[in-house]
Amino acid sequence: MKKFIYGFVIGAVLAFPMGINFGKDVPLLSNPFAAKPDIPSRIVERTGDLLQETKETIHEATKPVQEQMKK
């Protein structure tokens, strides 16, 4: 049981910083607290892409109805 607990603690200590780096899209073995994340620009970039994809999907879904309204 001791080996399991030691392994769990060591694994958590090693995995926590790697998880932070993974979330920031930086190399896994870099310092997780060194660079300030540019969160606002990342949010704008990701939501812009998502918004464009959503508009295209809605346009494709409503295309048959729009064609019927033109007739």
Side-chain angles (χ1 to χ4, degrees):
M1 189 69 176
K2 286 183 184 180
K3 289 181 182 180
F4 174 76
I5 292 173
Y6 289 141
F8 185 77
V9 170
I10 291 171
V13 168
L14 294 176
F16 183 72
M18 292 176 80
I20 291 173
N21 288 339
F22 182 76
K24 292 181 181 179
D25 293 330
V26 296
L28 292 179
L29 298 177
S30 65
N31 185 355
F33 304 110
K36 281 190 166 183
D38 191 20
I39 294 176
S41 65
R42 286 178 51 200
I43 290 173
V44 169
E45 178 183 325
R46 290 181 182 181
T47 55
D49 295 342
L50 180 64
L51 185 61
Q52 183 63 29
E53 291 174 12
T54 304
K55 285 180 181 180
E56 292 173 1
T57 304
I58 290 173
H59 181 69
E60 291 296 320
T62 59
K63 196 172 189 176
V65 175
Q66 290 175 355
E67 289 175 359
Q68 287 180 353
M69 295 296 287
K70 289 181 182 179
K71 291 182 181 180

